[in-house]
Structure formats: structure tokens, C-alpha cells
Amino acid sequence: MKTKAVRLYGENDLRLEEFDLPELKNGEILIKIISDSVCMSTYKTAKQGAKHLRVPDNVAENPIIIGHEFCAEVVEVTDKWKDKFSVGDKVVMPPVLAYLGGPETVGYSFCEIGGVSTYSIVYEHIIENDFLIKVDSDCFFKGSLIEPASCVIRGYKANLHLDDNLKPYTNIRPKGKVAILAGCGPMGLVAIDIALHGDIKPSLLVVTDINEEKLERAKQIFSPEDAKKDGIELIFTKSTDKDELISLTNNDGYDDVFVYAPVPSVVELGNSILGFDGCLNFFAGPLDKNFSANFNFYNVHYKQHHIAGTSGSTTEDMHDIVRLISEKRIDPAVMITHIGGIDAAIDTTLHLPEIEGGKKLIYTHINLPLTAIEDFQKLKSQDKRFVVLYELVKQNKGLWSMEAEKYLLDNFK
């Protein structure tokens, strides 16, 4: 079986190549990768090469396949797994350590499996550890976004509160008051979706962002009128004024505050609007190892304020997101702003921080330059296929959709 894949040879050395996969061994599964979402972690890996903790030292001689936010289709199952997997199953995989206790990870460490490939081999030990997860979805792109979405739900589960008996419990306070600061980026949009449609819902959700375009887009996607039907007051605001934000809570302060930008002033604002037994979750990941901000420890003592933060997610979190997507309660399409083919994967990965917008989605069985969804209308005169794509996303509030994906896969081969 031949595969085409983007392989890492060293620092800034990515190559799109076609090569033979080894014969499938009993206990392994062959998958056809359909889509892969480009992660900032992959960009960092490409920049570091063999210096990266999870990349083998001999990567120059044995290049690895990049990509870990993928959704695939099972095309061949060996005897060991025929009672658990079937040809045609949609599958995803968490970017966890493939060998428990070791650094090897899919997308960083292996030569025969990675998200930016047409076909990959899933090793026996990966399946034995329950890291190959079936997903019931009407499209592939949602599967590619399960991993980043699961990081958001992990953040929710990290928040700490005390009950009436002073016993700790985690997650946001049921029917509490939640603020998501700098919350209209791709991950923030998922956070809004989970707050509105997850298992534990607040009574008040306030979302701030100083970028007016992002704020308007979030309002279009998440209607305050629809939220009100579910008993949630949803407010979008540009305000960074402490008193104004607290006034929205009847001056009680917020039970849960999520900070989605690594900016000291945003952290300090979040701290200042916490109510009694409130929890501040610092979700944004700073690059500066010495990043710090002032925090009121008087209130930690007398008002029971808590601080939480997480990085990554667990297999359980991925199962939770799979369930929410399968039940059509959340739609990770809010994260996607660009699509492209496998020929766009290298440039997209190496220049990821320079490309504005949200998630960049690569379809590995087509060729297409990285294209912003908002540019579909401009491209209609150049390529008639974009006439159809524009109309399909327009029907879905400007979001990528099952119908758009199917048309893309059928017409951009």
C-alpha cells in the first residue's frame, strides 16, 4: 500500500512524499486519513526537529509523519480487531503518548502513522490502549476538531468550587455566572458552545473581546435569543471595565472566569470580577516561561478564590466531545476559517502563526491552496466550484458544513 504524506526530516525540513507502507501485521488496522486540523504544536515540532522531546534523534534517517488532529476511515481490519472495528468506521485518536510512560506520540514520533497522510497504519499497542476511538459523525472535519475541543472541556472540568459542606467539586457552577474573556477566537467559540449546550449550564454567560469583527461573528453564530430559550442570559461585550462587567451579575461577581488570552491585564481583570468561591481558569498558553500577573491573595483567603489551568486533554474528554457532537449539541465548525489540500500542508504548518483566523483544515486526498472560507465569494469568478461552496456555507451561517465537505471531496480530487 502506497501512502502520500508530509514527513519531518529536521528543523524546518518538511517534505511531501509518496512511499510504501509495510505489510499490515495481525493486530494492526489500516486507515484512510480524510482530514487533519493543523495544530500549533505541529508548527513548534517542525521548527524544533530532533530537538523536540517527542521527535526521534534519528529523524533525518527515519522521517516521521506529522499531524495528530485527524479523522479517518477504517479500510482494513486484521483478525484481532474484527469484533471491535469494521471497514468504513470513522475514527479519531487523541495525541496522547502512544506507549504509556514514554515520549512517543502520533504526529511526532512514527514513520507509518500521522495526520498529514493519505493512508496510515494504526499500531496494535495504540488500539490496545483504547486510543483509536470510533466517532458517529455525518462528516470528517468534526472528527478532526475533537482533540482541540476536548482541551476546552478539560478546562471546564478543572474549575474548582466548594459545596455547602466545604467539600470540593470540579466543573463550572451549575446555573452559575460565567465570563469568558478574550473569548471569540477559535477555542473561545468552542467554550461558548460548551457553556450553552454542554452537560452543565450557567444562568449567565458573558463573553468579551476587543476585536469587533470577532465579536460580531460570535453574535451571529450564537444567538442570545436562542440561549434565552434554554434559560441562559448570553451577553457579548467589548467592555474591559471591571465595574461594568460586575454590574452584569447584580454585583455578585462571577462564579467562573475563563481567560483566553495570555495577557497580564486580562488575567488581572478576570481576578477582579470573581465572586465568592469563584474560580479563574487561565486557559491561554503563554510562550514566555516567566509570564506572570498580579493576583489578589487576600480574596483567595477570605473569598475562597481559586486558580485553575490545564494543558491538553484526556481520552475521557475526547469521548465526552464525541458524545456531544454525535448528539448534535455542539458544532466544532465554529473553529474553522481555512481549508486546503495536502499540497498546502507544508506552507500552512511552517507559517501557521502568520496566518490570521482560526483552525486550518487540510484534506489529504485533494490538492487545493489554503483558502479562507470568507474568500469563497471573491473566488466565484475564478472557479465555478466556489459558487457552490459559497452558497453551501452561506446556508450554514458562514460555517463549514457536511454539505460543503462532501462537495469538496467529490469535486476537488
Side-chain angles (χ1 to χ4, degrees):
M1 167 63 72
K2 284 190 178 295
T3 188
K4 183 183 286 187
V6 172
R7 300 202 282 184
L8 175 72
Y9 282 81
E11 296 175 36
N12 296 305
D13 190 354
L14 295 175
R15 307 177 197 177
L16 177 58
E17 300 174 320
E18 188 173 60
F19 56 95
D20 289 311
L21 289 173
E23 287 189 17
L24 212 59
K25 301 172 186 174
N26 188 33
E28 296 179 335
I29 288 178
L30 182 67
I31 57 174
K32 178 182 180 181
I33 308 281
I34 303 297
S35 60
D36 182 78
S37 175
V38 184
C39 180
M40 186 61 74
S41 297
T42 303
Y43 161 78
K44 295 174 184 176
T45 304
K47 289 296 179 182
Q48 291 180 303
K51 294 177 183 176
H52 194 284
L53 173 66
R54 298 178 183 179
V55 174
D57 292 336
N58 65 347
V59 69
E61 294 77 34
N62 295 286
I64 59 93
I65 303 175
I66 64 168
H68 58 265
E69 296 181 359
F70 65 80
C71 187
E73 187 176 57
V74 172
V75 294
E76 187 176 344
V77 184
T78 52
D79 291 340
K80 181 172 180 177
W81 302 112
K82 285 189 174 177
D83 61 338
K84 188 172 181 179
F85 292 93
S86 301
V87 172
D89 285 345
K90 284 188 178 75
V91 290
V92 297
M93 188 181 300
V96 294
L97 303 182
Y99 293 100
L100 296 179
E104 293 87 357
T105 310
V106 171
Y108 303 82
S109 313
F110 298 113
C111 303
E112 292 89 24
I113 180 170
V116 191
S117 65
T118 50
Y119 294 90
S120 281
I121 293 174
V122 186
Y123 303 132
E124 183 176 14
H125 65 270
I126 291 176
I127 308 167
E128 286 177 334
N129 284 313
D130 197 30
F131 294 154
L132 188 66
I133 302 171
K134 287 192 283 188
V135 55
D136 179 17
S137 174
D138 53 10
C139 49
F140 289 94
F141 74 85
K142 291 180 181 179
S144 282
L145 298 171
I146 284 172
E147 190 277 328
S150 70
C151 294
V152 175
I153 208 168
R154 168 52 36 197
Y156 273 63
K157 292 178 180 180
N159 270 27
L160 176 71
H161 296 285
L162 302 176
D163 65 17
D164 293 339
N165 296 313
L166 299 183
K167 291 183 179 179
Y169 68 92
T170 54
N171 218 310
I172 62 172
R173 184 183 296 282
K175 297 184 179 179
K177 298 167 184 176
V178 173
I180 303 176
L181 307 185
C184 294
M187 302 295 270
L189 293 176
V190 176
I192 298 169
D193 207 357
I194 292 174
L196 294 175
H197 307 115
D199 295 328
I200 300 176
K201 297 180 177 65
S203 61
L204 171 69
L205 176 61
V206 175
V207 181
T208 77
D209 206 295
I210 59 173
N211 186 310
E212 191 145 0
E213 287 184 11
K214 288 182 178 180
L215 201 63
E216 286 303 315
R217 181 171 182 261
K219 287 181 186 179
Q220 292 172 9
I221 296 169
F222 301 108
S223 161
E225 290 75 20
D226 289 342
K228 193 172 184 179
K229 295 174 186 175
D230 293 327
I232 302 172
E233 184 181 5
L234 173 60
I235 299 172
F236 292 97
T237 177
K238 286 177 63 180
S239 177
T240 58
D241 181 78
K242 176 191 75 171
D243 294 333
E244 186 175 339
L245 291 174
I246 290 179
S247 71
L248 300 175
T249 69
N250 293 322
N251 295 319
D252 293 330
Y254 293 86
D255 299 295
D256 297 276
V257 176
F258 292 87
V259 175
Y260 269 75
V263 179
S265 61
V266 181
V267 177
E268 292 166 6
L269 174 63
N271 173 212
S272 70
I273 62 175
L274 285 174
F276 184 81
D277 192 39
C279 185
L280 182 140
N281 185 299
F282 181 58
F283 186 87
L287 294 176
D288 180 4
K289 292 182 179 180
N290 295 312
F291 178 90
S292 61
N294 290 324
F295 202 89
N296 187 328
F297 279 88
Y298 179 92
N299 288 337
V300 169
H301 183 80
Y302 287 106
K303 293 188 178 181
Q304 297 180 183
H305 286 180
H306 315 287
I307 309 172
T310 58
S311 177
S313 63
T314 68
T315 305
E316 178 191 44
D317 301 326
M318 291 195 71
H319 281 290
D320 285 342
I321 290 295
V322 167
R323 173 175 55 82
L324 292 174
I325 292 174
S326 299
E327 294 172 358
K328 300 188 186 303
R329 290 165 61 184
I330 70 167
D331 183 0
V334 297
M335 305 173 76
I336 302 172
T337 57
H338 294 69
I339 59 166
I342 195 168
D343 55 323
I346 293 177
D347 282 345
T348 301
T349 300
L350 293 178
H351 298 281
L352 191 59
E354 306 160 30
I355 308 171
E356 294 185 357
K359 277 290 187 180
K360 285 74 185 177
L361 192 68
I362 297 297
Y363 285 95
T364 63
H365 287 265
I366 69 168
N367 284 333
L368 177 69
L370 188 70
T371 306
I373 293 173
E374 66 179 12
D375 288 342
F376 286 177
Q377 187 173 16
K378 291 190 295 186
L379 294 168
K380 292 192 300 183
S381 59
Q382 303 173 26
D383 188 331
K384 292 182 179 179
R385 293 174 295 183
F386 283 102
V387 174
V388 180
L389 284 176
Y390 171 72
E391 291 300 327
L392 289 174
V393 298
K394 183 180 178 183
Q395 294 167 18
N396 194 39
K397 298 182 179 179
L399 301 177
W400 194 238
S401 66
M402 173 193 70
E403 294 82 6
E405 177 181 86
K406 185 177 186 307
Y407 182 82
L408 181 88
L409 294 174
D410 288 344
N411 293 276
F412 283 78
K413 294 182 180 179

